[in-house]
Amino acid sequence: MNSLLNINNLTAGYGYGPDIVRDFSLTLNKSEVKCIIGPNGAGKSTLLKSIAGILKPRSGEIFFDGEKISEKEAYQIMRLGICFLPQERAIFPNLTVAENLRMCAYSIKDKKVAEARIKEAIEMFPVLGQRLKQIAGTMSGGQQQQLVYARAFTIKPKIIMIDEPSLGLAPSLVEQTFNHITQIASSGIAVILVEQNAIRGLETAGYGVVMDLGKLVFEKPAKEVLQDQSLRELYLGKALEK
Ligand SMILES: Nc1ncnc2c1ncn2[C@@H]1O[C@H](COP(=O)(O)OP(=O)(O)O)[C@@H](O)[C@H]1O
Ligand SMILES: [Mg+2]
């Protein structure tokens, strides 16, 4: 119970449909990076949505910093410090970079703190500082991606959950994105990463978590998963063919 995040026997699904996440348990400590891999439809996105409070669990409990969050609303969970970047990570394309950063920092009551956070985010992603007045949608894909992470950083979350960060990105941006994730983690934020590019995801993470049919198959240090030939063949097969 001492972990930052404790997921205990979580079961979740949609409407009257079947259970998608089934009896799933996981912990996450401060500064830890865990990468969840598994086939399409395994329930990875559903798991993240349940943690974020977008989907209410059917059973099981989730604790954050010792506080039960599995019955809280999504906005409350975000305020507590869990930031969810869904697959469709939108920025406001018609607003300037500065406005995008401010929109996010608005959730912080103290204006001075909000300004300081924006400043810090810009220090982390200096390109944005040179483009504060630019309309965000007119920046390059890589710059927009940096804005996504900078926005998340302004809320100073304790946990960031990122669903498929490399999906749909040009190959040149994939590497940059994983570097940003490493950068975020080294600032003390714990990360749950869901990633199709299993090898790159595991290289970024401390632990690899394999999920299939809504269940936890195993969790191991990411290095072990990468080095174990039979595990590689079983779970990273697709990634290896590339
Ligand atoms: N909004 C939804 N309503 C109903 N079923 C859904 C919804 N989103 C996902 N599902 C179903 O949940 C299952 C797991 O989906 P998902 O969590 O997105 O898997 P993954 O992210 O591992 O690919 C799939 O069978 C999918 O059809
Ligand atoms: Mg998904």
Side-chain angles (χ1 to χ4, degrees):
M1 196 50 95
N2 295 325
S3 298
L4 186 58
L5 186 74
N6 274 79
I7 303 167
N8 302 330
N9 308 102
L10 179 75
T11 294
Y14 301 90
Y16 295 105
D19 291 343
I20 302 293
V21 174
R22 298 190 291 154
D23 201 26
F24 193 99
S25 298
L26 188 77
T27 64
L28 187 73
N29 289 312
K30 194 173 176 289
S31 303
E32 225 165 36
V33 182
K34 290 193 173 177
C35 177
I36 302 176
I37 57 176
N40 253 333
K44 305 181 296 295
S45 296
T46 304
L47 172 68
L48 296 193
K49 282 186 246 175
S50 313
I51 301 168
I54 293 164
L55 184 65
K56 291 278 164 284
R58 286 179 175 165
S59 62
E61 293 173 322
I62 306 172
F63 291 88
F64 173 63
D65 242 351
E67 189 176 348
K68 191 167 168 181
I69 59 164
S70 32
E71 278 149 22
K72 290 191 190 292
E73 300 298 328
Y75 75 92
Q76 296 173 308
I77 294 173
M78 190 189 87
R79 272 201 197 144
L80 284 172
I82 301 183
C83 171
F84 175 40
L85 301 180
Q87 252 167 256
E88 56 294 340
R89 278 170 295 279
I91 52 166
F92 296 98
N94 299 323
L95 298 184
T96 65
V97 169
E99 285 163 343
N100 263 280
L101 290 170
R102 259 185 247 129
M103 289 285 281
C104 223
Y106 272 151
S107 65
I108 306 159
K109 289 207 184 83
D110 187 328
K111 286 259 154 18
K112 273 189 190 154
V113 173
E115 286 304 318
R117 294 278 178 82
I118 291 175
K119 214 173 139 223
E120 261 184 84
I122 291 169
E123 276 164 21
M124 200 164 188
F125 301 99
V127 161
L128 300 177
Q130 299 153 16
R131 294 173 180 267
L132 288 172
K133 293 192 177 136
Q134 185 169 342
I135 300 295
T138 66
M139 294 197 296
S140 73
Q143 289 156 354
Q144 291 188 31
Q145 193 71 8
Q146 294 192 45
L147 182 55
V148 169
Y149 293 113
R151 276 167 52 82
F153 191 73
T154 57
I155 336 171
K156 270 271 166 85
K158 296 202 173 96
I159 298 175
I160 294 187
M161 304 192 289
I162 316 174
D163 200 355
E164 308 278 9
S166 77
L167 195 77
L169 290 184
S172 58
L173 288 183
V174 171
E175 198 50 33
Q176 184 195 308
T177 292
F178 283 111
N179 289 338
H180 293 328
I181 294 169
T182 302
Q183 203 177 352
I184 284 171
S186 61
S187 77
I189 299 171
V191 179
I192 299 181
L193 186 64
V194 165
E195 184 51 56
Q196 285 293 319
N197 183 341
I199 292 188
R200 200 60 196 85
L202 289 170
E203 282 168 354
T204 308
Y207 289 87
V209 177
V210 173
M211 186 174 187
D212 198 5
L213 300 171
K215 292 201 161 228
L216 179 103
V217 181
F218 66 77
E219 175 180 358
K220 279 180 195 294
K223 272 195 189 119
E224 275 180 37
V225 186
L226 284 166
Q227 284 164 5
D228 187 313
Q229 199 54 38
S230 57
L231 289 182
R232 282 184 75 118
E233 277 164 21
L234 265 176
Y235 297 106
L236 316 182
K238 253 197 199 155
L240 283 174
E241 284 162 20
K242 279 184 188 162

